Amino acid sequence: MFSRALFLALSLLVVPAGAIAGPAPLRLNPCPVPGGTEIVKCGRLEVPENWARPTARKIGLNIVVMPMTGPGPEQAPVIWLEGGPGIPGTVSAALYSTDLRFHRARRAVILFDQRGTGASAPLHCAETEQRQATEDMWPAALVTACRRRLEAEADLAQYTTAASAHDVDAIRAALGYSRVDLMGLSYGTMLGQAYMKLYPKRVRAAAFIGSVPLGEKLPLSHAANGENALRQVFADCRADPACHEAHPRLESDWRAVMARVVRQPVAVHTAKGEIVLRPGPLGEAVRGMLNSNFGQRRLPYLIGRAANADFTPFAAAIEAGGPEPEADGLYLSVTCPEGTRRIRPGEIELATARTSFGRYRVDRQVAACRLWAAAIADPRLLSPLASETPVLLLGGGRDATTPIPWARRIAAGLPHARVVVIEPMSHLPIGLTNIDCLDRIADAFFAKGDAEGLDTRCIASMKSPAFATR
């Protein structure tokens, strides 16, 4: 096991990459947490861009190691696996230095930017990432321009979940650990399952939040999952006296709003200029709002105003969201071969019919993937995970992207798994009262290395914010 003394010496030592073929040694040096005062350890690990050609082009992985804060003995470290795909993992350093610092009482927390994100050979498409949410996703000309620009240097076929799983093991080996714990959110749960498949002896325990089954044909399910969450918002509003009084016809108001935009796009003047609300982009913006508790609790107000011919609050809410945080090049490199290109044409109408959101998102992503670089998904990562490793699956009952049935589907192949439902939680674990209950349950799970017998009573104190009235 990795000792505290060895950890403190890492800034002076070069740690060999162990059994992983290809990576250069890793040197960690003191560095400040962005936006904070704590000094932690940072480094770059060189790995092959193509793991099948270890002597060819190398890329650097940006790594932040948050040291254990307690007196010991040290347990296996937690490697944090960020969502997206396309969001850099090191952006969570400030959280693990403050609100989530308790995770480090008995172990180090390891953060890294997945290949293609952050400071790890990023694959950004400024052409598409800076678009307004009211504009079409992934215009063909811009997708093509980005692909051509990126592939002048990078082999886009190597930015896959399998390659990132090999990167995770390279990080583990370079830091000298025999086994690690995993904690992941959304796409990070797919990466975690992939790592457990490819390196079954290296994971002691895994905690996943908002879990996605391996082999899911994303984004085929987005419309139906979003519709289910939207219906739950309507039901929650009916059950809330103040919301129901303010919006007694919320469902019919929503239908009227969408019908109005379908008949003719609505032009809205905002502080930033004029934007035009069209059915596809508006529906996708609403689906995005459903991914947070704050967005869900504001939707009835936005719908009510729009039903009364005032779309200004809707437009302001969409503008306030800003550009997408993912690196689009990495997002397409992962999702095209592993999900989107596996969608059969007849599946789209079946999956999106009778939803408010329709085919828009799937059609736009299918079209973008036709233009993106060819890659082949690892067939091992398209079937369910079977493992004896203890796994905790935390999910939200109001999740618009990764519903609870997905967690239960994953758990079916895991005899030592437990699904814990946080009924009011949306996809993003923010916005509830006592939100650190979720992380404390995960921390207790890691301390035990067992999902059975966990005290989950604090979930009862996790409440949604009030519905917005203005």
Side-chain angles (χ1 to χ4, degrees):
M1 186 59 68
F2 198 55
S3 70
R4 286 186 298 141
L6 181 57
F7 182 87
L8 293 172
L10 268 174
S11 62
L12 304 175
L13 295 178
V14 175
V15 183
I20 298 296
L26 170 64
R27 184 184 297 275
L28 295 176
N29 295 299
C31 62
V33 172
T37 58
E38 184 180 7
I39 301 298
V40 293
K41 300 290 183 181
C42 298
R44 294 188 66 78
L45 179 65
E46 280 200 347
V47 296
E49 182 182 53
N50 184 342
W51 277 98
R53 299 174 59 198
T55 60
R57 180 180 184 241
K58 300 292 194 298
I59 58 174
L61 301 177
N62 183 41
I63 300 167
V64 175
V65 179
M66 314 287 289
M68 184 178 74
T69 59
E74 185 179 18
Q75 296 182 353
V78 174
I79 298 182
W80 170 247
L81 305 174
E82 187 57 81
I87 302 174
T90 60
V91 298
S92 295
L95 270 176
Y96 282 105
S97 182
T98 53
D99 292 355
L100 302 184
R101 188 180 176 88
F102 59 82
H103 273 296
R104 298 162 50 198
R106 291 178 293 271
R107 65 188 63 82
V109 173
I110 301 166
L111 312 175
F112 74 104
D113 295 343
Q114 180 185 3
R115 61 168 56 203
T117 76
S120 296
L123 300 178
H124 279 292
C125 290
E127 300 92 335
T128 60
E129 292 166 25
Q130 299 303 316
R131 71 172 184 89
Q132 289 288 337
T134 53
E135 299 171 354
D136 275 333
M137 303 180 77
W138 297 310
L142 300 186
V143 170
T144 300
C146 181
R147 189 204 76 221
R148 288 174 176 166
R149 177 173 52 78
L150 292 177
E151 67 187 4
E153 180 176 358
D155 180 356
L156 299 180
Q158 305 307 319
Y159 292 78
T160 63
T161 298
S164 291
H166 296 319
D167 293 344
V168 171
D169 202 60
I171 293 169
R172 174 205 60 78
L175 289 171
Y177 293 106
S178 60
R179 299 174 79 198
V180 295
D181 291 338
L182 302 177
M183 190 168 180
L185 169 68
S186 193
Y187 167 74
T189 70
M190 291 187 74
L191 177 54
Q193 292 168 76
Y195 182 66
M196 292 170 69
K197 265 205 167 189
L198 299 180
Y199 297 91
K201 304 295 186 183
R202 295 304 186 186
V203 180
R204 187 189 74 104
F208 296 145
I209 307 166
S211 301
V212 187
L214 290 175
E216 190 66 31
K217 297 179 181 180
L218 299 175
L220 186 62
S221 54
H222 279 7
N225 291 341
E227 185 70 23
N228 289 338
L230 182 63
R231 299 298 163 187
Q232 288 173 318
V233 170
F234 295 159
D236 290 343
C237 182
R238 284 195 302 270
D240 183 275
C243 187
H244 183 59
E245 181 180 0
H247 309 288
R249 299 175 299 277
L250 184 58
E251 292 187 56
S252 60
D253 284 350
W254 168 246
R255 290 193 295 270
V257 168
M258 290 304 290
R260 166 68 180 84
V261 177
V262 167
R263 285 196 306 272
Q264 182 177 344
V266 176
V268 183
H269 292 278
T270 72
K272 297 180 180 179
E274 182 182 89
I275 65 174
V276 179
L277 301 179
R278 296 175 294 120
L282 176 60
E284 186 64 11
V286 169
R287 199 188 64 79
M289 293 178 193
L290 289 167
N291 279 324
S292 78
N293 283 88
F294 293 121
Q296 290 186 6
R297 306 301 267 192
R298 195 177 183 196
L299 262 178
Y301 169 75
L302 300 179
I303 293 169
R305 290 286 296 270
N308 285 301
D310 182 6
F311 283 83
T312 302
F314 241 134
I318 293 170
E319 278 193 335
E324 291 293 323
E326 290 95 350
D328 268 2
L330 188 276
Y331 183 87
L332 293 172
S333 292
V334 169
T335 60
C336 288
E338 297 174 22
T340 310
R341 287 199 188 109
R342 296 172 50 237
I343 298 172
R344 297 188 298 271
E347 293 179 306
I348 300 175
E349 187 60 34
L350 184 64
T352 61
R354 297 183 299 279
T355 71
S356 304
F357 307 103
R359 302 174 52 113
Y360 171 78
R361 171 60 185 269
V362 187
D363 284 343
R364 297 302 302 179
Q365 196 158 328
V366 166
C369 286
R370 291 195 189 104
L371 303 171
W372 202 249
I376 300 174
D378 188 323
R380 294 172 294 177
L381 306 184
L382 301 179
S383 59
L385 172 68
S387 173
E388 296 291 325
T389 300
V391 177
L392 176 66
L393 297 125
L394 296 146
R398 300 296 186 272
D399 194 323
T401 299
T402 59
I404 295 298
W406 283 10
R408 295 196 172 110
R409 194 198 314 171
I410 295 168
L414 307 171
H416 303 294
R418 179 178 176 185
V419 177
V420 174
V421 179
I422 301 169
E423 195 57 46
M425 190 171 75
S426 63
H427 185 57
L428 299 176
I430 56 174
L432 301 180
T433 57
N434 197 24
I435 191 63
D436 70 341
C437 166
L438 177 151
D439 280 278
R440 292 196 180 277
I441 291 172
D443 186 59
F445 163 71
F446 287 131
K448 291 184 62 179
D450 187 349
E452 294 301 319
L454 292 175
D455 184 354
T456 62
R457 289 175 294 178
C458 63
I459 290 175
S461 66
M462 301 177 75
K463 306 294 184 183
S464 295
F467 280 101
T469 58
R470 60 186 177 87

